[in-house]
């Protein structure tokens, strides 16, 4: 399988994934060039490669088997439990745009893992093409702010699914 670690930082997730799925091709992607240099220094595995989000290689990626987006779609400023609005320029519209970009890279039947986000994956337009993965531990109680499509605070404690399966195109008009 080909698995993408989106927001790979210094590569910890990519290195863990290749241990769990040793025959997989792991592609770590990040916007931070310093982080990508750290990944390159540590990487000794030919099954792992790292790409910048602005690279032509990243743009060409399609038909991925799985995408991990863990603790990527969040801003530390939003951890204030009393903030009525999502902070700064990271809005739901930008979140949804990035989710759509990831969706375009994932093949039908592929797995999408998302957790620790300021917004709900289920509120995005592409979420209709996904069903929650039926497995133990897929729902997790969060104690952190969650914002809606309007960027307003919804709640600070909630349970969400973390893993989804992309359905085939034939199931959705």
């Amino acid at each position: 399988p080909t698995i993408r670690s989106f927001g790979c930082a210094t590569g910890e997730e990519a290195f863990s994934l290749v241990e769990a799925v040793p025959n997989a091709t792991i592609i770590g992607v990040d916007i931070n060039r310093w982080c990508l240099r750290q990944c390159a220094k540590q990487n000794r595995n030919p099954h792992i490669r790292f790409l910048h989000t602005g690279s032509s290689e990243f743009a060409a990626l399609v038909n991925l088997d799985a995408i991990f987006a863990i603790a990527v779609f969040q801003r530390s400023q939003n951890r204030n439990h009393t903030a009525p609005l999502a902070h700064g320029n990271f809005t739901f519209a930008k979140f949804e745009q990035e989710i759509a970009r990831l969706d375009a890279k994932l093949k039908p039947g592929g797995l999408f893992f998302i957790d620790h986000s300021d917004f709900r994956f289920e509120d995005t337009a592409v979420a209709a093409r996904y069903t929650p993965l039926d497995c133990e531990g897929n729902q997790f109680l969060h104690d952190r702010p969650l914002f809606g499509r309007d960027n307003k605070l919804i709640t600070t404690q909630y349970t969400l699914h973390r893993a989804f399966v992309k359905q085939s195109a034939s199931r959705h008009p």
Side-chain angles (χ1 to χ4, degrees):
T2 302
I3 301 171
R4 180 171 156 209
S5 172
F6 185 72
C8 67
T10 54
E12 290 82 1
E13 183 177 76
F15 298 128
S16 295
L17 285 169
V18 82
E19 286 180 24
V21 190
N23 293 325
T25 297
I26 309 296
I27 304 167
V29 179
D30 207 286
I31 195 167
N32 186 313
R33 292 185 191 282
W34 181 88
C35 287
L36 292 170
R37 284 192 298 275
Q38 302 314 303
C39 292
K41 287 178 189 176
Q42 297 177 64
N43 188 19
R44 305 286 181 265
N45 191 315
H47 294 284
I48 302 175
R49 69 181 202 252
F50 295 97
L51 304 174
H52 188 270
T53 55
S55 71
S56 58
E57 278 186 277
F58 169 69
L61 282 178
V62 293
N63 291 320
L64 298 172
D65 295 292
I67 295 175
F68 285 79
I70 310 298
V72 175
F73 297 115
Q74 64 176 344
R75 298 298 178 262
S76 58
Q77 301 93 330
N78 289 335
R79 298 295 67 82
N80 178 349
H81 284 270
T82 61
L85 292 171
H87 186 273
N89 65 357
F90 186 63
T91 62
F92 180 83
K94 287 186 180 181
F95 168 72
E96 187 170 43
Q97 181 180 17
E98 285 299 310
I99 294 297
R101 191 164 80 143
L102 294 176
D103 170 65
K105 296 183 176 305
L106 189 64
K107 70 181 183 180
L111 302 175
F112 189 83
F113 299 89
I114 182 168
D115 202 8
H116 303 292
S117 174
D118 289 343
F119 303 99
R120 288 188 291 220
F121 172 77
E122 293 92 331
D123 288 341
T124 65
V126 301
R129 291 194 287 272
Y130 290 80
T131 56
L133 188 63
D134 184 18
C135 67
E136 185 178 332
N138 191 19
Q139 290 189 311
F140 182 77
L141 178 63
H142 292 82
D143 186 17
R144 54 178 285 150
L146 180 69
F147 299 91
R149 293 182 62 83
D150 59 1
N151 302 307
K152 292 182 181 176
L153 181 67
I154 297 172
T155 187
T156 57
Q157 194 171 56
Y158 51 93
T159 302
L160 290 178
H161 289 100
R162 304 187 285 181
F164 299 86
V165 179
K166 184 174 183 176
Q167 301 305 303
S168 66
S170 63
R171 289 189 59 181
H172 300 278

